[in-house]
Amino acid sequence: MKYKKLLPVTATIAIIILLFVNGVGTTTADTPLDNVLIYMAPDIAEPYEGQFVNTTVVFRNALNSTESMYNTTISFDATTSFNISDVYGVSSNMTFYNSTDYYLDSDDTEPLFYWDVSNVNVTWAKILPDTFQSFWFVANCTDTGFVGINNLNVTYYHNNEWETFIGQAFSFEVSPVPSTPRLDIPTQAIENWAWWLAGGIIIGVPLIVIVITRITLWKR
């Protein structure tokens, strides 16, 4: 079995996104990269405690070969306080999980999932040359501090040999939920009304006095 370092994804993110938008599992590149690519994209970069982060995982067989990849497995672990709650809408009940029967059909291109709150394992019996595979998972940030994904491994069988890639996933800091400051009740309307009342009294009272005085003098 060979052990290789996973190809850095920073130089290939643009290629992945462009090809992924054009059609996962169907798009081919003009120039094969002769490697495998994996990219994780969380939908929240700076989560708060209690928030759920949805992460999309894109995997590409970019090996410069006409041979398919077999028994390809992507596995990774979630750190403490980053609890996985959903993976691709697949139930976490593994009662009927049977990888032995799954591997018997070497032409099956549908993924098989095994996951729990801290681990995800996704396997494809067959991945065609120069194609994409993707899935998503949701994790809950249950506490503050640094959380994320680690121990990212990709294992597959290709050209009569097993190969394993070890990659770097992602991590970020979870912040406390911001407290909402207390807002005083606006007083602008009341102040405006008070000014109008005061102004009316200052102007109106002398006018009333003058009118009453005139009427009194006229009656005399």
Side-chain angles (χ1 to χ4, degrees), residues 82-157:
F82 196 57
N83 297 338
I84 298 173
S85 60
D86 190 9
V87 178
Y88 209 53
V90 178
S91 173
S92 60
N93 184 353
M94 299 291 109
T95 303
F96 302 101
Y97 180 86
N98 191 326
S99 59
T100 302
D101 291 343
Y102 174 77
Y103 290 139
L104 291 178
D105 185 359
S106 59
D107 290 326
D108 193 345
T109 57
E110 293 296 321
L112 180 68
F113 293 89
Y114 186 99
W115 68 275
D116 56 32
V117 69
S118 61
N119 177 265
V120 174
N121 187 296
V122 187
T123 299
W124 290 265
K126 181 179 181 179
I127 298 181
L128 298 173
D130 202 21
T131 55
F132 286 91
Q133 300 289 339
S134 70
F135 63 94
W136 51 264
F137 67 92
V138 179
N140 182 15
C141 303
T142 60
D143 200 357
T144 58
F146 284 94
V147 302
I149 296 300
N150 53 29
N151 297 327
L152 173 62
N153 293 286
V154 180
T155 302
Y156 64 91
Y157 186 75

Side-chain angles (χ1 to χ4, degrees), residues 26-49:
T26 59
T27 305
T28 58
D30 294 333
T31 304
L33 301 176
D34 198 21
N35 218 312
V36 296
L37 305 175
I38 187 167
Y39 176 56
M40 289 188 171
D43 65 344
I44 303 176
E46 299 178 353
Y48 293 116
E49 181 182 2

